[in-house]
């Protein structure tokens, strides 16, 4: 077997093509866009390269066939937050061969070790955790946009190598036309009418204001979680740049208490419904097919990408009121059928409780692993 660094057009193509071979007989798999994967590794587009570095490889067998791939990266803003410098791996794909998987993991480990790391998390993204994060271990249904999909045997490949779970990530699903539990609805409607509380959906014309509100809420809501690093203006711009083509302003809501930004939720239509027949390619013909899909097929699924509330407002029921506001907009459209609340770490008990309060049902489980050198 031969490990080859991805550093030219041919190896990039091999890196992108491998999943098409591995999942060719899986009807649930939806090929991610090549552009989205390449964005991660492009220093001109992904600002994470300003505070870190990454590398990727493909694996060939004796016959010259590509049978695996992996990427390794170091995010300097997070790697040293604990006493154990920790890098990461991601974008792992491999045939059902433990020796091949071990060689891929060994290669990532060796590079990280050379760069001073003592542990490796994975599979994760060289970017924000709203995309390509965690190993799918339950719920092998059609993935939502940006959510990892894997072969069931990958769990065995990771764990036999020595990876152990760092945390679990749970996604739950809401049937749009199913009524919320009565208690949830009563609380949400009471909060929505409370004096001094008001709710607004995103207005693109006022994007700078909403971007500032997003940053203020986000950085307060997650500040107490382990290994948290504040989100920056450039990361916010990159996030909204990626979703603007399918973004619906009235699916992105903010709550204010006496004028202070307090809570927010970012929901997007599921792009995977529109790219299923593109096979990952968004060239001229792919763009035409995408626009035809967008015009001719209405999205029926939505994904909650981010939900957050400032610490001092986390028992005010603001998230519940926002969800009611969303439903008031969505129901008359007679379009959407499902909302996936993805993903919530098993450490985030408050958000898990909110999911349960809505009557959401289990959808998927991903695991983020750690391997200590």
């Amino acid at each position: 077997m031969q490990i080859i660094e991805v550093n030219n057009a041919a190896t990039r193509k091999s890196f992108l093509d491998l999943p098409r071979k591995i999942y060719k007989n899986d009807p649930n798999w939806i090929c991610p866009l090549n552009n989205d994967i390449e964005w991660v590794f492009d220093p001109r587009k992904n600002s994470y390269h300003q505070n870190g570095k990454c590398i990727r490889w493909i694996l060939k067998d004796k016959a010259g066939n590509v049978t695996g791939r992996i990427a390794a990266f170091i995010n300097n803003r997070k790697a040293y937050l604990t006493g154990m410098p920790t890098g990461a791996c991601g974008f792992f794909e491999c045939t059902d061969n433990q020796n091949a998987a071990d060689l891929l993991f060994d290669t990532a480990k060796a590079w990280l070790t050379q760069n001073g790391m003592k542990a490796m998390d994975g599979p994760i993204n060289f970017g924000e955790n709203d995309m390509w994060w965690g190993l799918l271990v339950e719920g092998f249904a059609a993935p939502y946009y940006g959510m990892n999909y894997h072969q069931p045997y990958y769990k065995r490949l990771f764990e036999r190598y020595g990876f152990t779970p760092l945390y679990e990530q749970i996604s739950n699903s809401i049937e749009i036309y199913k009524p919320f539990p009565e208690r949830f609805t009563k609380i949400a409607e009471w909060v929505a009418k409370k004096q001094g509380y008001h709710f607004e959906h995103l207005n693109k014309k006022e994007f700078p204001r909403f971007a500032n509100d997003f940053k203020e809420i986000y950085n307060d809501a997650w500040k107490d979680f382990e290994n948290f690093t504040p989100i920056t203006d450039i990361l916010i711009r990159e996030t909204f740049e990626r979703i603007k083509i399918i973004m619906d302003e009235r699916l992105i809501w903010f709550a204010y208490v006496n004028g202070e930004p307090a809570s927010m939720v970012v929901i997007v239509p599921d792009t995977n419904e529109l790219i299923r027949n593109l096979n990952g390619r968004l060239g001229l013909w792919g763009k035409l097919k995408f626009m035809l899909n967008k015009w001719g097929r209405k999205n029926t699924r939505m994904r909650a990408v981010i939900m957050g509330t400032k610490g001092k407002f986390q028992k005010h029921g603001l998230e519940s009121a926002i969800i009611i506001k969303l439903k008031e907009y969505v129901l008359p459209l007679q379009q959407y059928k499902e909302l996936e609340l993805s993903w919530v770490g098993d450490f985030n008990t408050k958000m898990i409780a909110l999911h349960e309060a809505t009557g959401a049902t289990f959808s998927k489980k991903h695991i983020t692993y750690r391997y200590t050198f």
Side-chain angles (χ1 to χ4, degrees):
M1 293 185 287
Q2 181 185 16
I3 287 283
I4 303 171
E5 182 181 344
V6 175
N7 56 15
N8 56 38
T11 50
R12 282 194 295 272
K13 183 177 185 302
S14 294
F15 187 90
L16 295 169
D17 283 346
L18 178 61
R20 297 184 181 98
K21 300 174 184 177
I22 288 179
Y23 300 98
K24 65 181 180 180
N25 296 319
D26 189 333
N28 290 321
W29 182 68
I30 298 173
C31 186
L33 293 175
N34 290 348
N35 291 0
D36 287 340
I37 303 301
E38 287 302 294
W39 181 94
V40 174
F41 299 99
D42 189 340
R44 297 167 299 177
K45 297 178 180 179
N46 182 359
S47 63
Y48 269 68
H49 289 263
Q50 297 175 14
N51 294 290
K53 56 184 176 179
C54 67
I55 187 172
R56 50 180 166 158
W57 303 270
I58 55 172
L59 175 67
K60 288 187 176 181
D61 62 16
K62 292 181 180 179
N65 300 309
V66 178
T67 59
R69 75 178 200 186
I70 198 168
F73 23 82
I74 299 170
N75 174 0
N76 288 323
R77 297 180 68 213
K78 290 184 178 293
Y80 304 97
L81 291 178
T82 67
M84 182 169 58
T86 302
C89 65
F91 300 93
F92 171 89
E93 302 286 356
C94 190
T95 56
D96 191 1
N97 182 321
Q98 190 68 52
N99 290 333
D102 289 352
L103 181 53
L104 289 165
F105 294 138
D106 282 345
T107 302
K109 173 188 173 182
W111 182 83
L112 291 169
T113 300
Q114 291 167 10
N115 285 275
M117 299 295 103
K118 302 295 185 183
M120 172 169 63
D121 291 349
I124 65 172
N125 182 27
F126 190 48
E128 289 300 298
N129 62 13
D130 60 323
M131 301 277 282
W132 321 125
W133 206 279
L135 185 79
L136 180 67
V137 296
E138 290 184 39
F140 295 91
Y144 279 70
Y145 178 71
M147 296 292 287
N148 272 340
Y149 184 90
H150 296 111
Q151 291 284 14
Y153 64 80
Y154 282 22
K155 184 175 186 288
R156 169 168 40 82
L157 297 182
F158 271 78
E159 294 183 356
R160 284 188 178 176
Y161 182 75
F163 282 93
T164 56
L166 186 61
Y167 53 83
E168 295 182 349
Q169 304 148 229
I170 305 300
S171 297
N172 292 305
S173 179
I174 292 176
E175 295 178 44
I176 298 300
Y177 293 98
K178 181 179 178 180
F180 288 127
E182 183 179 355
R183 183 174 183 275
F184 176 86
T185 302
K186 284 183 177 180
I187 292 173
E189 290 178 345
W190 174 75
V191 172
K193 297 173 183 177
K194 198 170 180 181
Q195 187 174 0
Y197 289 29
H198 79 277
F199 303 84
E200 298 181 46
H201 63 75
L202 176 70
N203 183 338
K204 292 179 184 177
K205 294 179 181 178
E206 297 183 68
F207 180 76
R209 173 171 74 90
F210 285 104
N212 285 333
D213 294 346
F214 179 96
K215 181 171 70 171
E216 184 178 330
I217 296 167
Y218 182 97
N219 286 340
D220 186 278
W222 278 275
K223 68 180 186 298
D224 294 328
F225 287 114
E226 186 178 5
N227 298 335
F228 167 75
T229 55
I231 197 167
T232 62
D233 293 330
I234 190 170
L235 287 175
I236 293 172
R237 288 196 300 271
E238 287 176 355
T239 299
F240 279 90
E241 184 67 24
R242 291 203 312 268
I243 67 174
K244 71 178 183 180
I245 192 171
I246 48 95
M247 183 170 63
D248 182 341
E249 295 171 301
R250 298 199 62 172
L251 295 179
I252 301 173
W253 279 80
F254 294 80
Y256 299 85
V257 177
N258 296 321
E260 179 182 349
S263 183
M264 53 84 177
V265 60
V266 177
I267 292 175
V268 294
D270 180 26
T271 307
N272 273 2
E273 290 186 289
L274 306 180
I275 68 171
R276 178 183 279 275
N277 65 343
L278 303 188
N279 201 25
R281 298 180 174 92
L282 200 61
L284 181 60
W285 177 235
K287 289 178 180 178
L288 178 59
K289 289 170 72 174
F290 177 83
M291 295 310 295
L292 289 172
N293 290 343
K294 190 176 180 184
W295 176 74
R297 304 179 185 177
K298 288 186 176 181
N299 282 102
T300 61
R301 310 196 310 175
M302 302 176 288
R303 178 188 167 207
V305 179
I306 299 172
M307 298 180 72
T309 301
K310 284 184 177 178
K312 64 182 179 181
F313 298 120
Q314 286 183 359
K315 294 183 179 181
H316 289 225
L318 291 169
E319 304 95 334
S320 304
I322 288 177
I323 291 173
I324 290 292
K325 291 287 183 181
L326 281 162
K327 203 162 188 177
E328 289 174 356
Y329 166 64
V330 168
L331 283 179
L333 296 176
Q334 297 184 340
Q335 173 183 341
Y336 295 104
K337 297 179 180 178
E338 183 181 53
L339 167 63
E340 182 168 89
L341 305 173
S342 61
W343 50 264
V344 175
D346 56 9
F347 50 81
N348 193 346
T349 55
K350 293 178 181 177
M351 196 59 69
I352 290 173
L354 174 63
H355 285 202
E356 293 173 349
T358 66
T361 56
F362 173 80
S363 176
K364 298 177 180 70
K365 180 195 289 186
H366 292 75
I367 295 178
T368 294
Y369 288 96
R370 173 164 290 175
Y371 178 77
T372 302
F373 301 161

